[in-house]
Amino acid sequence: MLHTYETDGAKIYKESFATIRSEADLARFNKDEESVVVRMIHAAGMVGLEEHVRFTPGMAEIARAALANGAPILCDAYMVSEGVTRPRMPADNEVICTLRDPKVPEMAKEMGNTRSAAAVELWRPKLEGALVAIGNAPTALFHLLNILQDPNCPRPAAIIGCPVGFVGAMESKDALMQDPPVPSMIVKGRLGGSAITVAAINALASWKE
Amino acid sequence: MLHTYETDGAKIYKESFATIRSEADLARFNKDEESVVVRMIHAAGMVGLEEHVRFTPGMAEIARAALANGAPILCDAYMVSEGVTRPRMPADNEVICTLRDPKVPEMAKEMGNTRSAAAVELWRPKLEGALVAIGNAPTALFHLLNILQDPNCPRPAAIIGCPVGFVGAMESKDALMQDPPVPSMIVKGRLGGSAITVAAINALASWKE
């Protein structure tokens, strides 16, 4: 017997978001933040994720405005840049991942760092006013924080800091939030990753659910 | 003061996997399965994920052999296909996502189903002996299960069933495991997603950690 299931994409979204709002504890978020957190929970399939999400004041509004004004989106991984839903972008925003640039392997060797960190160096020409989305590599976030200590380094509009894992993820996100160089958000601890990061970008790009 | 952090990618992996093995309860998995589960935990940043992972007997060995023999990998989302680490593939395996095929929107309308389900229809010429990796859409998994009820439909070698979310994800994975048409693995319940799915593919492709 054939399986029967909900096949209407719009209904699936609507029911999913209603379930999340009925189960998750979203009271501490403002409206701009709430729409981001709901989408992150949706991407992770995980009510409870909200406990670990932190925004600096005004980050969601600032990131939303930056995207509306055409900010490029700088991603640390192709799983992030590929996940961005282009029709949701308010200004046909450029989505950039520099990880496969042919210069990266040699730069990483010279820097004594990962390819993810080296790829961040190639963000500089686009960094001013950009939305940065780090959904994979703690070393990318740490390297970004280090280059932003130079006051001559261009400033992004906002940072989504969601690297994932067991070495450096928690530490890099704590470092971001202890002294945020620009408005920022994180998922505290080990949790993070490309799906959650993409969800945050897509939510900041459009109110459409 | 600049942040100091581990910048050696190989050391980061080694320490991450050691942490996972010291914290996670992996006793019920055989060697082929264990390497997959460890990598999935790594991608999710989540010890405890292992409780939700199920393999049909021999799935990991069969999927590994299929990849070694050149099986293509059929993915339901670009976040999955983009995440596959090409140098890990044992036979330069083809990685396919049909979601952006220009025929998909019209097919979805005709089928009265999602684009993810319609894209599965386009897998048929490559389905025989393939590794299927569903990391996003429950409708893709349900549609695959339905077409596999036709004995004339080509059979994949194995299915990674990790759709994520609040509507249909749990149900589609339960349906897969209640009557697996081919060797399969799932993450039970709402959890799943592209990062976890990619981790499973990458682990099945190579023993390298």
Side-chain angles (χ1 to χ4, degrees), chain B residues 1 8 21 53 59 62 73 85 92 95 138 149 155 157 179 193:
Chain B
M1 214 177 66
D8 180 331
R21 289 199 163 94
V53 181
M59 182 276 182
I62 289 161
I73 304 167
T85 306
D92 198 16
V95 184
Q149 291 191 21
R155 321 309 283 175
D179 187 14

Side-chain angles (χ1 to χ4, degrees), chain A residues 1-9 11-13 15-17 19-20 23 41-47 78-80 82-84 86 100 112-114 117 138-140 142-143 145-147 149 164-167 175-176 190-195 198, chain B residues 1-9 11-13 15-17 19-20 23 41-47 78-80 82-84 86 100 112-114 117 138-140 142-143 145-147 149 164-167 175-176 190-195 198:
Chain A
M1 215 177 65
L2 292 181
H3 298 287
T4 57
Y5 55 97
E6 182 57 70
T7 57
D8 180 330
K11 278 191 197 157
I12 293 170
Y13 265 98
E15 190 181 328
S16 298
F17 282 55
T19 301
I20 293 165
E23 294 186 14
I41 293 170
H42 178 249
M46 194 194 308
V47 169
Y78 281 93
M79 284 187 70
V80 177
E82 278 299 312
V84 173
R86 299 308 193 273
R100 289 190 200 136
N113 208 324
T114 63
T139 53
F142 268 131
H143 189 65
L145 292 178
N146 279 349
I147 68 175
Q149 291 191 23
V164 60
F166 296 84
V167 175
L176 172 61
R190 291 170 171 178
L191 293 174
S194 48
V198 163
Chain B
M1 214 177 66
L2 293 181
H3 298 286
T4 56
Y5 54 97
E6 182 57 69
T7 57
D8 180 331
K11 277 191 198 158
I12 293 170
Y13 265 98
E15 189 180 328
S16 298
F17 282 55
T19 302
I20 292 164
E23 294 185 16
I41 294 170
H42 178 249
M46 194 194 308
V47 169
Y78 281 93
M79 284 186 71
V80 177
E82 279 298 313
V84 173
R86 300 308 194 272
R100 289 189 200 136
N113 209 324
T114 63
T139 53
F142 267 131
H143 189 65
L145 292 178
N146 279 350
I147 68 175
Q149 291 191 21
V164 60
F166 296 84
V167 175
L176 172 61
R190 292 170 170 178
L191 293 174
S194 48
V198 163

Side-chain angles (χ1 to χ4, degrees), chain B residues 142-208:
Chain B
F142 267 131
H143 189 65
L144 178 67
L145 292 178
N146 279 350
I147 68 175
L148 287 173
Q149 291 191 21
D150 173 0
N152 294 320
C153 182
R155 321 309 283 175
I159 298 172
I160 300 169
C162 293
V164 60
F166 296 84
V167 175
M170 181 179 71
E171 295 82 354
S172 64
K173 292 180 283 190
D174 285 349
L176 172 61
M177 292 312 260
Q178 271 158 28
D179 187 14
V182 299
S184 297
M185 69 167 296
I186 62 160
V187 175
K188 267 187 83 70
R190 292 170 170 178
L191 293 174
S194 48
I196 291 173
T197 305
V198 163
I201 300 169
N202 284 336
L204 290 166
S206 167
W207 287 102
K208 184 169 184 284

Side-chain angles (χ1 to χ4, degrees), chain B residues 105-162:
Chain B
E106 188 58 34
M107 288 174 64
K109 208 174 286 178
E110 277 170 26
M111 290 164 62
N113 209 324
T114 63
R115 279 176 296 151
S116 295
V120 167
E121 281 294 322
L122 298 176
W123 291 357
R124 288 178 186 262
K126 299 277 187 178
L127 196 54
E128 185 73 40
L131 176 62
V132 166
I134 296 178
N136 182 42
T139 53
L141 181 52
F142 267 131
H143 189 65
L144 178 67
L145 292 178
N146 279 350
I147 68 175
L148 287 173
Q149 291 191 21
D150 173 0
N152 294 320
C153 182
R155 321 309 283 175
I159 298 172
I160 300 169
C162 293

Side-chain angles (χ1 to χ4, degrees), chain A residues 24 39 47 59 77 80 86 106 126 128 180 197:
Chain A
R39 211 169 183 95
V47 169
M59 183 276 182
V80 177
R86 299 308 193 273
E106 188 58 34
K126 299 278 187 177
E128 185 73 40
T197 305

